[in-house]
Amino acid sequence: MPLVRIALRRGKSPAQLAALRNGVYQAMRETFNVPENDRFILVSQHDADEFDCDPNYLGIARSDDLVIVQITCNSGRTVEQKQALYRSMAEKLSADPGLRPEDLFINLVEVTKENWSFGNGIAQYA
């Protein structure tokens, strides 16, 4: 069960936001074995003074179109699966909505299965 948070500067169209959500979800389905309909994605848009990031950290030239994707997921995936996710997401978001790979920042937060409740006050995976 991944929970995805996408943060970016304000001003993208609904179609661009949908392409971001869809590309992230498809990459997770293909590389992380995420089940169909296991889709929980939040998008937050920020004014420029609320979105602070270094434009050249680690020698990567970022633009004002930077998109930060944070995925909270169950622990246990291999390094190879994570690398495949990063590649797939960069490819998909480059194709649509045209995001430069340099403008994609991904962070995985791994948790144990008992840290989820999908509703009804129950830890379904515990």
Side-chain angles (χ1 to χ4, degrees), residues 15-33:
Q16 289 170 309
L17 298 177
L20 288 171
R21 292 190 317 270
N22 292 337
V24 169
Y25 176 68
Q26 287 303 319
M28 290 188 311
R29 293 258 304 133
E30 293 171 8
T31 61
F32 265 30
N33 301 319

Side-chain angles (χ1 to χ4, degrees), residues 31-90:
T31 61
F32 265 30
N33 301 319
V34 170
E36 187 175 357
N37 300 322
D38 189 352
R39 184 175 171 137
F40 298 89
I41 303 172
L42 306 171
V43 176
S44 60
Q45 296 185 69
H46 303 271
D47 292 328
D49 62 343
E50 301 172 333
F51 197 80
D52 188 10
C53 51
D54 189 279
N56 294 299
Y57 182 66
L58 294 178
I60 301 168
R62 295 171 190 83
S63 75
D64 288 344
D65 288 327
L66 178 67
V67 173
I68 298 174
V69 178
Q70 185 175 58
I71 302 171
T72 303
C73 59
N74 289 332
S75 58
R77 291 182 174 88
T78 66
V79 171
E80 292 78 17
Q81 285 176 298
K82 294 172 189 179
Q83 290 172 327
L85 173 69
Y86 305 150
R87 278 190 307 273
S88 178
M89 202 178 299

Side-chain angles (χ1 to χ4, degrees), residues 1 3 40 74 111-126:
M1 187 301 187
L3 172 63
F40 298 89
N74 289 332
V111 299
T112 56
K113 290 184 177 187
E114 66 270 13
N115 289 332
W116 299 98
S117 174
F118 297 94
N120 297 322
I122 299 170
Q124 285 84 358
Y125 287 165

